[in-house]
């Protein structure tokens, strides 16, 4: 399998604060890669750098064999930020129309993609409403729809299912599996352990370091843990003893 | 294409925000109306040229009041009057006295008339009152019924457009940053210049409407003096608005929230009132005077005055319009560079 996202020894400082230290990882095509870590671990910082909207202090990030940031690559990436970046004065549909036209979708094609993305996240009936009338979960779903519009090869989702009920969360995950089967590479962050189990590959991030990586199965086996949570605690403990 | 998407979105957002629309379109009208009602002139030292066949009379005048300067040559005086170095020319050739006023500034007109009257009276012996001569008054620009508001009005039109566009565009661009949508846009293939261009065009459309409303209101409702073409005035106010727009979006990069954006007003907008010609710059300390060249409003206000009071056309205003275009371009380029802070490409 070919590597789609390559992170080489990346560090990030904000002033004197070391937010990420010597991170290396790669994500292969079709894979669903989960970045698991507690709040403040540096998940958002890392995915922003991969999406090209932050620059590493040290190290190198390649997406589709090209150094980031790269404008052409950005048409091939779908990014869903942790905080909903939506225009609340506009309706759901107008928001999607805006993002669709930025990616060059127009006319019938644009309409189809908007309908498809909206139905995926169960928002078809609410598209005409202004976004400031949406609930938190509805905004989350609209952000997800906006990231899917242009059928990106790579999806980067920063905590996509926060505030979404279990039933819809399951259907979104089913959709992610479908996209992954169809060839999309997905990088998703989460701090929910049971969601981590759903990923094909996991990277465990803590205090800016990648403390472990592998498939959920591998991680559990090599630490003789019953759950991902135990495995995470195990790796975290090991690091603390050093 | 991407810029067009942005323009369309800005228009949609703007139309939803009725209150901001009202602030942009109606607030300036309200303030202009108020200023029209309350304005009254202030003290002013006029510059008056004296041309007289009676040398003794002329030197007496020059001694009596520092406003007077003897000119030997009438064409030289006329030239200085045209260049606004002089406020008036006083010609004394008994039995006639002739005053030619530059006329643009009603405060100056009033001051000239008062100074001349007072000085002539003090020089005329009490027992000789019947020789008080006939005075003929002519205006180079404007006319006797020009009010003070006619003079400051054109400037205020420019000022309010600058002020409101600066604030509204600045805050909108700032919100794009604070709500995370700027970051979201930077995760798309949109280029930095496309973003800046989209903002200028999107808001530009509203500033055209704003300029047209404010200028028409001033002329047709407030009955401000209008010697030139309304289209030139709209063109100048539009250029001024684009300058304000590009400056506002640029400075929003240095504000963390709306309140900090408002803090730019005393720093950036208010000084323009003092240095751009609403008040007389000549009375200011020498080292302060060059500051006026840095103020976009200096050029905008001057050009609007040229058209509205002196009836100037393209030859009189093109240089100011070009300077404003230069300011806009500069601010836009700086804004594209400032966005580099967020994404290198
Ligand atoms: N712009 C910034 N300036 C300074 N420090 C920052 C900035 N952005 C993030 N940080 C710091 O970097 C660290 C990691 O933040 P990050 O947002 O990547 O965490 P996270 O893993 O996404 O957390 P969460 O699960 O809460 O979203 C935090 O300590 C945060 O304070
Ligand atoms: Mg985060």
């Amino acid at each position: 399998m070919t590597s789609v996202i390559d992170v080489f020894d990346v560090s990030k400082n904000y002033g004197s604060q070391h937010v990420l230290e010597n991170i290396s990882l790669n994500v292969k095509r079709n894979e669903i890669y989960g970045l698991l870590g507690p709040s403040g671990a540096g998940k958002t910082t890392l995915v922003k750098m991969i999406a090209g909207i932050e620059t590493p202090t040290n190290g190198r990030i390649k997406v589709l064999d090209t150094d980031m940031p790269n404008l052409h690559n950005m048409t091939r990436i779908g990014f869903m930020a942790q905080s909903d970046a939506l225009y609340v004065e506009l309706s759901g549909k107008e928001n999607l129309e805006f993002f669709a036209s930025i990616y060059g979708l127009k006319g019938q094609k644009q309409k189809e993609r908007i309908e498809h993305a909206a139905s995926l996240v169960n928002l078809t009936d609410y598209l005409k409403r202004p976004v400031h009338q949406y609930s938190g979960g509805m905004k989350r779903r609209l952000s997800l729809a906006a990231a899917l519009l242009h059928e990106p090869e790579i999806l980067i989702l920063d905590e996509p299912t926060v505030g979404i009920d279990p039933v819809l969360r399951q259907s979104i995950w089913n959709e992610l599996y479908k996209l992954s089967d169809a060839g999309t590479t997905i990088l998703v962050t989460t701090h929910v352990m049971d969601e981590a189990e759903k990923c094909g590959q996991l990277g465990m991030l803590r205090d800016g370091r990648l403390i472990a990586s592998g498939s959920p199965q591998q991680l559990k086996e090599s630490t003789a843990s019953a759950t991902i949570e135990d495995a995470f605690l195990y790796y975290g403990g090991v690091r603390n003893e050093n | 294409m991407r810029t067009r998407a942005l323009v369309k979105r800005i228009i949609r957002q703007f139309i939803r925000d009725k209150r901001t629309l009202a602030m942009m379109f109606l607030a300036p009208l309200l303030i202009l109306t108020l200023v029209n009602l309350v304005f009254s002139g202030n003290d002013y030292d006029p510059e008056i040229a004296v041309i007289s066949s009676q040398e003794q009379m002329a030197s007496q005048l020059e001694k009596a009041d520092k406003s007077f300067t003897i000119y030997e040559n009438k064409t030289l005086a006329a030239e200085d009057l045209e260049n606004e170095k002089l406020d008036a020319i006083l010609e004394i050739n008994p039995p006639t006295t002739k005053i030619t006023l530059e006329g643009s500034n009603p405060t100056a007109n009033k001051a000239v008339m008062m100074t001349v009257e007072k000085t002539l009276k003090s020089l005329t012996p009490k027992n000789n009152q019947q020789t008080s001569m006939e005075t003929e008054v002519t205006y180079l620009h404007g006319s006797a019924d020009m009010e003070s508001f006619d003079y400051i009005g054109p400037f205020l039109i420019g000022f309010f457009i600058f002020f409101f566009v600066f604030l509204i565009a600045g805050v909108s661009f700032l919100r794009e940053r604070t709500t995370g949508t700027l970051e979201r846009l930077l995760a798309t293939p949109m280029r930095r210049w496309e973003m800046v261009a989209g903002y200028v065009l999107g808001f530009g459309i509203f500033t055209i409407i704003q300029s047209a409303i404010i200028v028409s209101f001033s002329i047709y409702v407030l009955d401000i003096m209008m010697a030139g073409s309304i289209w030139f005035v709209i063109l100048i106010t539009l250029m001024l608005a684009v300058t304000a727009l590009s400056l506002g979006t640029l400075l929003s990069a240095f504000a963390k929230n709306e309140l900090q954006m408002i803090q730019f007003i005393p720093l950036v907008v208010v000084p323009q009132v003092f240095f751009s010609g609403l008040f007389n710059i000549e009375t200011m300390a020498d080292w302060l005077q060059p500051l006026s060249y840095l103020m976009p409003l200096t050029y905008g206000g001057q050009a609007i005055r040229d058209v509205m009071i002196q009836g100037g056309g393209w030859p009189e205003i093109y240089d100011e319009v070009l300077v404003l275009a230069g300011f806009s371009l500069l601010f836009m380029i700086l804004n594209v560079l400032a966005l580099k802070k967020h994404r290198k490409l």
Side-chain angles (χ1 to χ4, degrees):
Chain A
M1 273 196 282
T2 48
S3 187
V4 172
I5 300 173
D6 294 290
V7 177
F8 304 104
D9 204 23
V10 160
S11 303
K12 176 75 182 176
N13 305 340
Y14 284 113
S16 60
Q17 189 193 357
H18 304 290
V19 174
L20 289 173
E21 288 175 66
N22 308 98
I23 306 277
S24 293
L25 59 83
N26 54 72
V27 181
K28 303 206 163 50
R29 192 173 292 283
N30 291 26
E31 208 165 65
I32 301 186
Y33 191 103
L35 269 179
L36 177 69
S39 181
K43 304 181 294 293
T44 300
T45 310
L46 182 56
V47 294
K48 273 192 198 166
M49 291 193 298
I50 295 171
I53 46 183
E54 283 279 3
T55 6
T57 313
N58 285 308
R60 223 172 136 190
I61 293 177
K62 278 185 155 192
V63 172
L64 295 160
D65 274 328
T66 320
D67 280 303
M68 288 303 280
N70 175 283
L71 283 179
H72 177 65
N73 264 359
M74 284 173 168
T75 59
R76 302 160 80 180
I77 297 175
F79 178 66
M80 174 185 179
Q82 181 170 6
S83 59
D84 298 303
L86 299 165
Y87 300 97
V88 294
E89 307 90 344
L90 302 183
S91 70
K93 185 156 177 260
E94 288 167 337
N95 270 279
L96 294 182
E97 280 171 359
F98 172 62
F99 287 110
S101 359
I102 285 185
Y103 286 105
L105 296 169
K106 42 191 159 182
Q108 191 57 32
K109 174 83 178 155
Q110 185 188 87
K111 235 180 109 192
E112 276 167 26
R113 287 303 305 163
I114 289 176
E115 274 166 22
H116 178 75
S119 73
L120 261 180
V121 295
N122 259 356
L123 278 178
T124 311
D125 297 338
Y126 301 95
L127 277 187
K128 291 226 163 62
R129 282 217 211 157
V131 171
H132 64 81
Q133 291 178 9
Y134 277 29
S135 72
M138 287 162 81
K139 285 184 197 155
R140 238 26 233 133
R141 279 140 63 194
L142 188 64
S143 301
L144 179 57
L148 297 173
L149 282 172
H150 58 294
E151 301 174 272
E153 288 166 57
I154 300 172
L155 259 182
I156 299 176
L157 310 174
D158 198 357
E159 309 212 6
T161 54
V162 171
I164 294 182
D165 61 89
V167 180
L168 191 60
R169 182 184 299 192
Q170 189 53 52
S171 79
I172 286 176
W173 269 97
N174 290 339
E175 195 50 46
L176 294 184
Y177 287 133
K178 259 193 245 167
L179 287 169
S180 151
D181 286 342
T184 309
T185 310
I186 300 172
L187 176 64
V188 53
T189 74
T190 181
H191 58 245
V192 191
M193 301 291 170
D194 72 328
E195 216 167 60
E197 303 255 19
K198 297 186 162 91
C199 304
Q201 287 287 313
L202 265 185
M204 291 185 170
L205 205 59
R206 192 175 148 151
D207 294 333
R209 288 167 195 268
L210 196 65
I211 53 174
S213 61
S215 72
Q217 199 58 32
Q218 283 169 349
L219 291 173
K220 281 189 286 190
E221 274 169 14
S222 63
T223 59
S225 319
T227 62
I228 288 292
E229 191 158 2
D230 289 339
F232 190 85
L233 290 173
Y234 175 87
Y235 284 114
V238 168
R239 196 178 105 73
N240 281 348
E241 278 162 18
N242 284 347
Chain B
M1 178 66 204
R2 287 186 284 258
T3 303
R4 210 171 70 199
L6 184 53
V7 170
K8 193 167 159 192
R9 192 208 83 210
I10 290 171
I11 293 173
R12 279 174 162 172
Q13 278 177 300
F14 219 126
I15 290 171
R16 299 287 146 79
D17 191 353
K18 299 280 185 295
R19 177 123 152 225
T20 303
L21 268 184
M23 167 145 137
M24 191 168 170
F25 293 157
L26 301 179
L29 304 189
L30 179 72
I31 301 174
L32 277 172
T33 311
L34 285 176
V35 174
N36 187 22
L37 291 175
V38 302
F39 188 82
S40 58
N42 41 6
D43 280 352
Y44 183 85
D45 277 330
E47 291 294 334
I48 305 167
V50 181
I51 299 172
S52 179
S53 53
Q54 294 178 308
E55 269 168 40
Q56 196 199 350
M57 176 80 175
S59 58
Q60 265 180 332
L61 275 169
E62 200 173 33
K63 259 181 229 137
D65 195 304
K66 63 177 169 31
S67 296
F68 296 101
T69 317
I70 296 176
Y71 275 65
E72 305 291 338
N73 186 329
K74 196 174 169 184
T75 43
L76 193 67
E79 221 169 78
D80 282 355
L81 190 67
E82 185 64 60
N83 294 337
E84 295 179 43
K85 279 188 193 146
L86 287 173
D87 294 305
I89 303 174
L90 176 66
E91 292 169 73
I92 305 177
N93 298 308
T96 56
T97 306
K98 203 172 139 199
I99 302 175
T100 311
L101 290 155
E102 194 278 329
S104 302
N105 183 346
T107 313
N109 295 350
K110 231 175 270 169
V112 168
M113 295 309 288
M114 269 167 59
T115 312
V116 170
E117 216 164 283
K118 199 181 72 200
T119 319
L120 283 182
K121 209 169 191 174
S122 70
L123 291 181
T124 316
K126 288 228 158 43
N127 54 1
N128 205 4
Q129 288 287 353
Q130 78 272 23
T131 57
S132 70
M133 300 162 285
E134 257 179 62
T135 319
E136 182 192 321
V137 182
T138 55
Y139 290 81
L140 186 61
H141 301 295
S143 67
D145 49 39
M146 190 169 136
E147 297 171 54
S148 294
F149 184 68
D150 292 325
Y151 183 68
I152 63 159
F155 180 86
L156 288 180
I157 291 172
F159 174 72
F160 289 128
I161 287 177
F162 192 92
F163 177 84
F164 285 104
V165 172
F166 174 83
L167 194 59
I168 292 169
V171 168
S172 303
F173 201 68
L174 175 91
R175 279 216 194 114
E176 188 99 58
R177 203 153 46 85
T178 55
T179 58
T181 51
L182 177 67
E183 194 173 82
R184 181 68 186 76
L185 285 182
L186 291 170
T188 74
M190 182 170 271
R191 288 162 208 278
R192 284 176 286 136
W193 70 260
E194 287 174 320
M195 208 173 296
V196 173
Y199 257 80
V200 170
L201 290 176
F203 275 93
I205 289 169
F206 288 94
T207 60
I208 291 176
I209 303 173
Q210 186 203 34
S211 298
I213 292 179
I214 295 176
V215 172
S216 317
F217 181 84
S218 305
I219 295 171
Y220 299 114
V221 179
L222 298 182
D223 204 22
I224 193 170
M225 178 171 166
M226 180 66 193
S229 157
I230 183 169
W231 297 109
F232 284 128
V233 180
I234 291 177
L235 173 73
I236 299 160
T237 52
L238 186 64
M239 287 314 300
L240 204 52
V242 173
T243 311
L245 172 62
S246 49
L247 181 61
T249 49
L250 170 64
L251 288 184
S252 75
F254 305 98
K256 286 203 176 70
N257 52 45
E258 279 90 344
L259 187 60
Q260 291 196 348
M261 192 65 216
I262 289 173
Q263 288 162 5
F264 278 124
I265 293 174
L267 282 177
V268 175
V269 181
V270 174
Q272 304 220 37
V273 179
F274 299 108
F275 289 104
S276 63
L278 178 61
F279 300 104
N280 263 295
I281 299 171
E282 289 99 74
T283 58
M284 239 171 253
D286 285 346
W287 64 272
L288 274 175
Q289 292 185 15
L291 275 181
S292 72
Y293 294 111
L294 297 176
M295 311 272 168
L297 215 50
T298 306
Y299 304 93
Q302 187 55 48
I304 299 175
R305 255 180 212 166
D306 281 347
V307 176
M308 294 186 84
I309 300 176
Q310 287 159 12
W314 186 242
E316 283 75 30
I317 62 166
Y318 81 93
D319 45 352
E320 278 114 352
V321 170
L322 285 183
V323 172
L324 289 177
F327 270 120
S328 308
L329 200 65
L330 174 72
F331 295 148
M332 281 189 247
I333 291 170
L334 289 176
N335 201 356
V336 173
L337 293 176
L339 283 172
K340 223 174 178 166
K341 200 171 84 181
H342 300 279
R343 187 182 73 192
K344 280 200 166 156
L345 283 178

